[in-house]
Amino acid sequence: MNDLVRQHTALSDSDLEWLHLLVSEWQLLSDLSFADLVLWVPTLDGTRYVSVAQMRPNTGPTSYQDDMIGHLVPRGRRPLLDAALDEGRIVREGDPEWREEVPVRVESIPVRREGRVLGVIARNTNLLTVRTPSRLELTYLQSASDLAQMIAAGSFPFPGEQVDMDSSPRAGDGLVRLDAEGIVQYASPNALSAYHRLGLAADLVGQHLGQITAELAPSRGPVDEALVTLASGYAPREFEVEGNGGVIQLRAIPLKPKGTRIGSLVLLRDVTELRRRERELITKDATIREIHHRVKNNLQTVAALLRLQARRMDSDRGREALNEAVRRVGSIAIVHETLSQNLDERVEFDEIADRVIAMVAEISPGKVTCRRNGRFGILDAEVATPLSMVLTEILQNALEHAFAPGDEGAVEVTAVRGEPRPDARLLITIQDDGCGLPEGFDPQRAGNLGLQIVRTLVEGELGGSFDMLPGAERGTKVVLDIPVQPQK
């Protein structure tokens, strides 16, 4: 719609925002009218109309099988559009139009904002299945007529009351029509069922909706006056009421077709099961985070015990082996700590990589700096945990074997999301400028524990590849190529 309005019309950005607000609300008008809606806006030169939006009803057959958006119609071809635009009033046609052997009743509703008519809504009703309307359908049509008059007067939609139509109640979910005093004139079967879920034993018709709603909602004190006002439909609001184990979502729409409030339309939906599932998910998420938090604490306890044991060791090799185990446990603990702060099983691995680099850098025998380039991005926990251990082992190996005590140097970790899709593979390079690989060294057969861990995790658990190569000028380069998605 933005492109069509800016290309063909002279409407301002504020006018365009009004049209967006209208389009976000007009599914309700379409459903209540049992009719298709097409929004026509006059072009910049005033000689044509361009259709910028279209809506089909959920409550009846469509009048348009084809997409109408982007169509241009010369002024004069559709007299109802001209009359609604020029006179600023709703224009109805006596005889229906015939489209592909389908009779269609056409009406035009001017869209007004701050006294100016921005465009015209063509309301097209398929008459092929017309029959004697029920009480529900009559209430729908009367409410649609009131909303159409409010659009023509510029009082609907309500500024500042942007509604998420994906989650907001719709006409078919449940509808209650109130008079000016808040007394229920009509309640659809779905609406009545929703109030029965709250504990209502009687009929809604003739009751004051605000008072009934406040009485059904649990309260420790006097009747909630704010809830009475909201449920009476005096202001456009959306809210929820919970009672008797049920939850209903309500949306109040004051009806002011001639400037004075004549009543309200209340749309409502039973969301009991939806809210129950949401609470279960929240509880599940909290439980998972608590588990990660406890795992992290337990791993830190294990690391502390290993550290204490290392201090009591007389053997230098034994002490160093325990310190390596401390760092391995610590890298896993970092992942679980990050997971304990998230709502899902995915982590921003750059933070984990930086903490692993800082942890391993503490064992540097000389003035060796470690830094990261590029971004690892967001990874699943099944990838993040083994990858953190792999990164720990490779960095630890580089700092221990590439540099002698007192040496200066650098270790650089580079991460690049691979092609053809950034979410497909991750290419990691760890480059040092140390002494390089020994003569005849084969990384695929080297027997030290660290490289065995790397090979097992990269090739077995992550399903990737691992290689160690001499650097371009000096030092060693380790290359990891792993799929981002965990192995199933």
Side-chain angles (χ1 to χ4, degrees):
M1 187 166 71
N2 287 354
D3 293 340
L4 288 171
V5 168
R6 288 170 178 153
Q7 178 182 355
H8 294 286
T9 78
L11 296 181
S12 64
D13 289 341
S14 58
D15 292 335
L16 180 57
E17 285 301 316
W18 181 263
L19 295 184
H20 274 293
L21 186 59
L22 171 66
V23 168
S24 72
E25 295 271 23
W26 72 344
Q27 178 72 65
L28 174 61
L29 177 62
S30 178
D31 290 345
L32 293 175
S33 304
F34 308 99
D36 291 77
L37 306 178
V38 179
L39 178 57
W40 297 92
V41 180
T43 57
L44 182 61
D45 57 10
T47 62
R48 295 180 296 175
Y49 298 96
V50 59
S51 57
V52 298
Q54 179 180 2
M55 179 58 66
R56 293 183 173 90
N58 293 318
T59 52
T62 183
S63 302
Y64 290 110
Q65 299 299 326
D66 300 327
D67 188 358
M68 294 295 296
I69 297 177
H71 282 211
L72 290 165
V73 174
R75 184 177 172 88
R77 179 175 295 179
R78 300 194 177 181
L80 294 184
L81 295 182
D82 299 338
L85 182 69
D86 297 339
E87 302 173 21
R89 64 179 180 86
I90 299 175
V91 182
R92 294 181 174 87
E93 184 179 56
D95 297 328
E97 293 183 1
W98 286 84
R99 300 175 186 167
E100 299 179 356
E101 299 183 355
V102 175
V104 177
R105 183 175 62 242
V106 180
E107 301 172 82
S108 294
I109 306 168
V111 177
R112 192 183 303 273
R113 175 179 179 265
E114 296 180 351
R116 296 180 299 112
V117 177
L118 307 182
V120 179
I121 295 175
R123 180 163 57 176
N124 304 271
T125 307
N126 187 324
L127 301 179
L128 196 61
T129 58
V130 169
R131 54 184 172 79
T132 302
S134 64
R135 179 73 187 280
L136 171 66
E137 292 166 333
L138 289 173
T139 304
Y140 272 31
L141 293 172
Q142 180 58 53
S143 301
S145 177
D146 294 335
L147 288 178
Q149 292 181 59
M150 292 170 65
I151 292 173
S155 58
F156 186 83
F158 304 107
E161 293 295 328
Q162 186 76 33
V163 175
D164 183 2
M165 294 306 298
D166 291 334
S167 60
S168 182
R170 299 193 177 190
D173 297 325
L175 179 144
V176 177
R177 174 83 185 218
L178 308 179
D179 65 11
E181 303 301 322
I183 305 299
V184 177
Q185 302 298 300
Y186 176 78
S188 71
N190 284 346
L192 189 58
S193 296
Y195 266 84
H196 285 166
R197 188 72 175 263
L198 290 182
L200 179 68
D203 194 359
L204 272 176
V205 176
Q207 304 275 7
H208 190 284
L209 188 66
Q211 294 177 359
I212 286 292
T213 304
E215 290 171 2
L216 293 173
S219 173
R220 296 181 180 178
V223 172
D224 190 340
E225 294 298 331
L227 183 56
V228 172
T229 302
L230 287 173
S232 298
Y234 289 106
R237 292 289 186 274
E238 190 169 315
F239 57 99
E240 287 189 5
V241 175
E242 183 172 356
N244 194 40
V247 184
I248 62 172
Q249 182 183 15
L250 300 96
R251 183 190 175 199
I253 303 173
L255 297 176
K256 304 176 181 178
K258 296 182 180 179
T260 303
R261 180 175 169 275
I262 64 168
S264 303
L265 197 63
V266 178
L267 306 178
L268 56 95
R269 178 173 57 172
D270 185 348
V271 293
T272 304
E273 293 303 315
L274 178 62
R275 295 296 177 260
R276 182 185 62 80
R277 289 195 297 269
E278 288 177 351
R279 288 167 185 163
E280 288 178 352
L281 288 174
I282 291 173
T283 302
K284 179 182 176 182
D285 289 339
T287 302
I288 291 173
R289 281 184 287 173
E290 179 63 22
I291 290 172
H292 284 303
H293 181 71
R294 293 188 182 188
V295 170
K296 183 263 297 184
N297 289 344
N298 291 337
L299 289 172
Q300 289 179 338
T301 301
V302 172
L305 292 173
L306 292 173
R307 198 175 293 112
L308 286 173
Q309 186 67 38
R311 292 172 183 170
R312 295 175 179 270
M313 292 286 293
D314 295 330
S315 168
D316 291 340
R317 291 188 62 185
R319 186 182 306 109
E320 182 55 34
L322 288 176
N323 286 331
E324 288 181 2
V326 168
R327 288 187 287 273
R328 289 166 185 150
V329 172
S331 67
I332 302 174
I334 290 172
V335 177
H336 284 281
E337 181 179 5
T338 305
L339 287 169
S340 70
Q341 301 168 1
N342 291 348
L343 293 176
D344 55 18
E345 292 290 290
R346 293 170 64 80
V347 296
E348 177 61 65
F349 196 80
D350 294 328
E351 177 186 352
I352 293 175
D354 291 340
R355 293 180 62 180
V356 167
I357 290 171
M359 178 182 67
V360 178
E362 294 177 357
I363 69 168
S364 172
K367 300 177 181 179
V368 180
T369 59
C370 298
R371 59 178 179 269
R372 171 178 62 87
N373 291 324
R375 294 190 68 251
F376 289 86
I378 297 176
L379 300 177
D380 289 339
E382 294 92 333
V383 174
T385 301
L387 183 58
S388 67
M389 286 195 65
V390 168
L391 195 58
T392 300
E393 296 297 332
I394 295 175
L395 289 172
Q396 189 169 275
N397 187 72
L399 292 175
E400 286 183 354
H401 301 293
F403 304 97
D407 284 353
E408 293 186 4
V411 179
E412 186 172 285
V413 179
T414 303
V416 178
R417 284 295 181 111
E419 299 293 341
R421 300 195 328 271
D423 63 341
R425 305 193 71 82
L426 179 63
L427 183 66
I428 305 169
T429 305
I430 299 98
Q431 172 80 56
D432 68 66
D433 56 0
C435 62
L437 296 173
E439 187 71 26
F441 179 81
D442 183 358
Q444 303 302 327
R445 297 188 178 184
N448 72 68
L449 179 60
L451 288 181
Q452 288 181 17
I453 291 174
V454 170
R455 286 197 299 269
T456 300
L457 292 178
V458 172
E459 297 173 0
E461 190 162 346
L462 293 174
S465 62
F466 155 74
D467 200 6
M468 295 182 73
L469 308 167
E473 298 181 1
R474 57 176 300 182
T476 304
K477 179 169 70 171
V478 178
V479 179
L480 304 173
D481 185 2
I482 63 173
V484 173
Q485 298 298 326
Q487 296 295 296
K488 301 299 182 183

